[in-house]
Amino acid sequence: MAASVVLNGSRSSAGVSEATRQRILSAASELGYSANVTARGLRNVRFKCLGVSCGYTDPFSTPDPRDSTNTSWMMADYYGSYLLNGILRAAHNRGYNVMHFHKAWRDAAHSAAGFRGQGIDGFLIIAPDPDSDMVSGLSALGIPAVVISSSSDQHGVPSVDVDNAAAVRMVLDHLLALGHRRIGYLMEPSDQVDHRIRRDSFLQGLRDSGLPAKPEYMVVASDADFKERVRALLTGPEPPSAVFACDDRTAIRLIQLAHEIGLRVPQDLSIVGFDDSPAASVVTPPLTTVRQPLSPMAEKATDLLISLVEEEPVATQTHWFDPVLVVRESTSPPIS
Amino acid sequence: MAASVVLNGSRSSAGVSEATRQRILSAASELGYSANVTARGLRNVRFKCLGVSCGYTDPFSTPDPRDSTNTSWMMADYYGSYLLNGILRAAHNRGYNVMHFHKAWRDAAHSAAGFRGQGIDGFLIIAPDPDSDMVSGLSALGIPAVVISSSSDQHGVPSVDVDNAAAVRMVLDHLLALGHRRIGYLMEPSDQVDHRIRRDSFLQGLRDSGLPAKPEYMVVASDADFKERVRALLTGPEPPSAVFACDDRTAIRLIQLAHEIGLRVPQDLSIVGFDDSPAASVVTPPLTTVRQPLSPMAEKATDLLISLVEEEPVATQTHWFDPVLVVRESTSPPIS
DNA sequence: CTGAAAGCGCTTACAG
DNA sequence: CTGAAAGCGCTTACAG
């Protein structure tokens, strides 16, 4: 009836008399009326709800390597926190709720249908596995989606990402300007696109600067063999005077191990991290690192998704964000 | 039709022939069928979705005091991360999704109705304001709810909380055993119940140990006047030899300020925090602090809520969790 | 054992 | 300008 028209302020609300209008509004507020989003959804109206999906094949499979108060996967890490902060803020500004929808994804044929009819208008997909057909699968079903932190505009799906190549270039320039010539790269085993891009950019940057990319300076260390491999790097015949770690967590472990070995940071070893995590400013020495503007990126992604959902025009490309080099005290000119 | 019966495994599924059953199942999997949760919800079936509400009056009102990559409110802080970790884990285990539903709450009459018909089976309410009628309001509407981090079992609503009094007692015992007699307490202005309980327990503990509770040792410092007030505490005529800070963030600021003033930690000043945040193990010196088992608490709360939703019997009381004193290097016997 | 029908709470054409 | 009706996709009694 007319009530619906008035309460939604829908286009045809012109055809309702002012008296009726008032009658409806006052009755509604008196009864504390609030529309049933569920019933409304059945009629193909917006749910005003966005889903957040991490693009992992099985988001909960990672065993918790740390203690019980600690976190075991992305959404509960500082990385996910920063993203969630931006997502919630942007969603709230436009009147949307946010739902965690971290379902395991097999392939489009098996998994895509489970993303419809869930009371969600569109999905934010975080760091999807490049081999997964999640993005194309949802896209094929006409489900609005935006990709965070993986510049995959292949499927006409917008995405946001930090310019990893630029970030690496900034770090390299910083270290080169300080006078470093023996620069190592330390990463965890990871098949994330971003990590691969960073590694490749590092090698490219070395080449561009006329420095050799020594294979022994490129270290991949897991939690298990971290000490062993890093010790080998730092105590070799010609150890690097600076190491760029793929993330802050790794960089901080590196600082601690360097101290154990008896190296001074930064005098004997300059260290650069990636992320500007909360711990970065608190370690000794405070960590030089690259800040990814994660919250702004997530806000942008959320805005894009809502625009998509509301059928506003949207640029289906990668929206790049500039990294910021945060220079603290873990880098200095090399002593020798 | 029968399809519904088979696919849901509902109680009367006995009355369906095996042939039909198979026919339905194979058709369903072939079509990639997945029930429309929305339509199902209209028929008063579970949505399999839990809402998370932070109990603030206006969850988004807090201005961001830090930089743009940083977080401005609970759900995006490490505190919220740890909770979210437990919530998502427990929800996932029982097949539930989690929705952020951080609506501003005026009072039950105005706000409660907006929590129905939202496609959410029940709410996890984080640290509700004690003056708010949010818990009783939802409860009165028959909406399942569980309270996290505020031991308010007043309304027949179960809750989980850490035993704050025991935590304070552990810290005090630790400091007393080290030989401290001049112990300060440092807190931010806060009207959270937990913070009040900690403060009161601290005063009580002092009394129990026959120590005077000097008012000048009880410092409330905001972000704005932190340096001024804490400096006054530490440089007074008879400064404390140990300070218990109400949370790690405050404790870490205290360490930094102590260093600025030229005090050695822990020799000149022992410092204890609260939370065991990620930064606690990384500062210099590593911080002695109380770990709240936030993830396990949140898991328990989520389990309780799901039981409530599924009408299993639930103890409508406060479920207490034991804090853990994590002794690191920011505490030692006093030098004088 | 199976199929046709009612109804959950809305919104949107459609008559009056 | 307003009210009665159809239908969104399900589930659950209810006939056949």
Side-chain angles (χ1 to χ4, degrees):
Chain A
M1 54 181 156
S4 177
V5 172
V6 171
L7 293 169
N8 301 315
S10 80
R11 58 190 173 285
S12 41
S13 115
V16 177
S17 75
E18 192 53 29
T20 319
R21 179 191 198 70
Q22 288 308 333
R23 200 154 49 83
I24 290 168
L25 287 174
S26 76
S29 87
E30 208 166 295
L31 296 167
Y33 174 83
S34 165
N36 182 319
V37 170
T38 301
R40 174 181 280 173
L42 253 196
R43 299 282 309 161
N44 288 325
V45 182
R46 312 273 101 87
F47 294 102
K48 294 254 179 184
C49 181
L50 270 24
V52 177
S53 276
C54 85
Y56 297 178
T57 306
D58 185 356
F60 282 90
S61 66
T62 323
D64 193 338
R66 292 171 271 177
D67 70 37
S68 68
T69 65
N70 235 316
T71 62
S72 62
W73 66 295
M74 194 184 56
M75 278 320 289
D77 192 7
Y78 66 87
Y79 185 90
S81 284
Y82 287 156
L83 291 181
L84 193 55
N85 187 38
I87 293 170
L88 290 175
R89 183 171 304 281
H92 184 261
N93 282 342
R94 296 182 66 171
Y96 278 69
N97 287 314
V98 172
M99 180 154 154
H100 289 275
F101 198 84
H102 306 285
K103 294 268 175 284
W105 180 273
R106 258 173 76 188
D107 54 56
H110 288 93
S111 312
F115 284 67
R116 340 189 52 144
Q118 302 305 112
I120 296 173
D121 297 317
F123 291 87
L124 252 10
I125 307 175
I126 300 175
D129 189 327
D131 306 330
S132 153
D133 58 356
M134 184 167 178
V135 177
S136 59
L138 294 183
S139 179
L141 251 54
I143 300 173
V146 171
V147 173
I148 293 180
S149 204
S150 175
S151 39
S152 60
D153 47 356
Q154 313 97 307
H155 315 289
V157 170
S159 61
V160 300
D161 204 353
V162 73
D163 188 340
N164 283 288
V168 171
R169 190 67 238 183
M170 291 168 86
V171 170
L172 230 29
D173 286 346
H174 171 63
L175 293 174
L176 291 169
L178 288 171
H180 292 276
R181 290 298 173 268
R182 303 192 312 278
I183 304 174
Y185 190 80
L186 175 58
M187 63 190 296
E188 296 175 302
S190 160
D191 46 4
Q192 272 194 264
V193 191
D194 285 28
H195 284 208
R196 209 170 53 218
I197 294 176
R198 288 183 208 162
R199 183 177 159 283
D200 294 347
S201 306
F202 179 80
L203 290 170
Q204 184 61 48
L206 245 35
R207 258 178 261 126
D208 292 350
S209 311
L211 292 177
K214 291 200 186 186
E216 60 268 36
Y217 283 179
M218 306 297 295
V219 176
V220 178
S222 67
D223 271 11
D225 60 12
F226 185 86
K227 287 206 174 186
E228 185 188 343
R229 290 198 187 261
V230 176
R231 195 178 279 271
L233 173 71
L234 299 181
T235 59
E238 200 179 35
S241 63
V243 173
F244 181 18
C246 65
D247 59 33
D248 282 1
R249 181 169 159 267
T250 307
I252 289 172
R253 295 187 69 185
L254 178 59
I255 290 180
Q256 288 163 342
L257 185 55
H259 286 156
E260 262 182 62
I261 293 177
L263 294 172
R264 293 165 303 164
V265 179
Q267 296 91 326
D268 302 320
L269 182 67
S270 284
I271 294 174
V272 181
F274 205 110
D275 280 348
D276 196 21
S277 71
S281 60
V282 155
V283 250
T284 305
L287 185 67
T288 294
T289 184
V290 176
R291 177 181 303 161
Q292 302 195 57
L294 293 173
S295 293
M297 282 163 61
E299 276 189 60
K300 178 65 176 180
T302 306
D303 262 336
L304 286 168
L305 181 57
I306 294 175
S307 296
L308 227 41
V309 165
E310 300 189 344
E311 293 172 320
E312 297 166 8
V314 158
T316 64
Q317 47 164 45
T318 299
H319 298 255
W320 294 104
F321 282 73
D322 289 329
V324 178
L325 181 68
V326 182
V327 178
R328 296 205 179 90
E329 298 163 34
S330 67
T331 47
S332 73
I335 222 163
S336 53
Chain B
M1 52 180 154
S4 177
V5 172
V6 171
L7 293 169
N8 301 316
S10 81
R11 59 188 170 288
S12 41
S13 113
V16 176
S17 75
E18 191 53 26
T20 318
R21 180 193 197 67
Q22 289 307 333
R23 201 155 48 83
I24 291 168
L25 287 174
S26 75
S29 87
E30 207 166 297
L31 296 166
Y33 174 84
S34 165
N36 183 318
V37 170
T38 301
R40 174 181 279 172
L42 255 196
R43 297 283 307 163
N44 288 324
V45 183
R46 311 275 101 87
F47 293 101
K48 294 260 183 177
C49 180
L50 270 23
V52 178
S53 277
C54 86
Y56 298 178
T57 306
D58 185 356
F60 283 90
S61 66
T62 323
D64 192 338
R66 291 173 271 176
D67 71 36
S68 68
T69 64
N70 235 314
T71 62
S72 63
W73 66 296
M74 194 184 56
M75 278 320 291
D77 194 6
Y78 66 88
Y79 185 88
S81 286
Y82 287 156
L83 292 181
L84 193 55
N85 187 37
I87 293 170
L88 289 176
R89 183 171 303 281
H92 183 261
N93 283 342
R94 296 183 65 173
Y96 279 69
N97 287 314
V98 173
M99 180 155 154
H100 289 275
F101 199 84
H102 307 285
K103 292 268 175 285
W105 180 272
R106 257 173 77 188
D107 54 57
H110 288 92
S111 312
F115 282 67
R116 336 189 55 145
Q118 301 305 113
I120 296 173
D121 297 317
F123 290 86
L124 252 10
I125 307 174
I126 301 175
D129 188 326
D131 306 330
S132 154
D133 58 357
M134 183 166 179
V135 177
S136 58
L138 294 183
S139 179
L141 251 55
I143 299 173
V146 171
V147 173
I148 294 180
S149 204
S150 175
S151 40
S152 60
D153 48 356
Q154 314 97 305
H155 315 290
V157 170
S159 61
V160 301
D161 204 353
V162 72
D163 188 340
N164 283 288
V168 171
R169 189 69 238 180
M170 290 169 86
V171 170
L172 230 29
D173 286 347
H174 170 65
L175 293 174
L176 292 168
L178 288 171
H180 291 277
R181 290 300 173 268
R182 304 192 312 277
I183 304 174
Y185 189 81
L186 175 58
M187 64 190 295
E188 296 175 304
S190 159
D191 46 5
Q192 272 194 265
V193 191
D194 285 27
H195 284 208
R196 208 169 55 218
I197 293 175
R198 289 184 206 161
R199 184 176 159 284
D200 294 347
S201 306
F202 179 80
L203 290 170
Q204 184 61 47
L206 245 36
R207 259 178 260 123
D208 292 350
S209 313
L211 293 177
K214 291 200 185 186
E216 60 268 35
Y217 283 179
M218 306 297 295
V219 177
V220 178
S222 67
D223 272 10
D225 60 12
F226 185 86
K227 287 207 173 186
E228 184 188 345
R229 291 200 187 260
V230 176
R231 196 178 278 272
L233 172 71
L234 298 181
T235 60
E238 201 179 35
S241 64
V243 173
F244 181 17
C246 65
D247 58 34
D248 282 1
R249 180 170 161 267
T250 307
I252 289 172
R253 295 187 70 184
L254 178 59
I255 290 180
Q256 288 163 342
L257 185 55
H259 286 156
E260 262 182 62
I261 292 177
L263 293 172
R264 292 165 303 163
V265 179
Q267 297 91 326
D268 302 322
L269 182 68
S270 284
I271 295 175
V272 181
F274 204 109
D275 280 348
D276 196 21
S277 70
S281 60
V282 155
V283 248
T284 306
L287 186 66
T288 295
T289 186
V290 176
R291 177 182 303 161
Q292 303 194 57
L294 293 172
S295 292
M297 282 165 62
E299 275 188 60
K300 178 66 177 178
T302 306
D303 263 335
L304 287 168
L305 180 57
I306 295 175
S307 295
L308 227 42
V309 165
E310 300 189 344
E311 292 172 321
E312 297 166 7
V314 158
T316 64
Q317 47 164 44
T318 298
H319 299 255
W320 294 103
F321 282 73
D322 289 329
V324 178
L325 182 67
V326 182
V327 178
R328 296 203 181 90
E329 298 164 34
S330 67
T331 47
S332 73
I335 222 162
S336 55

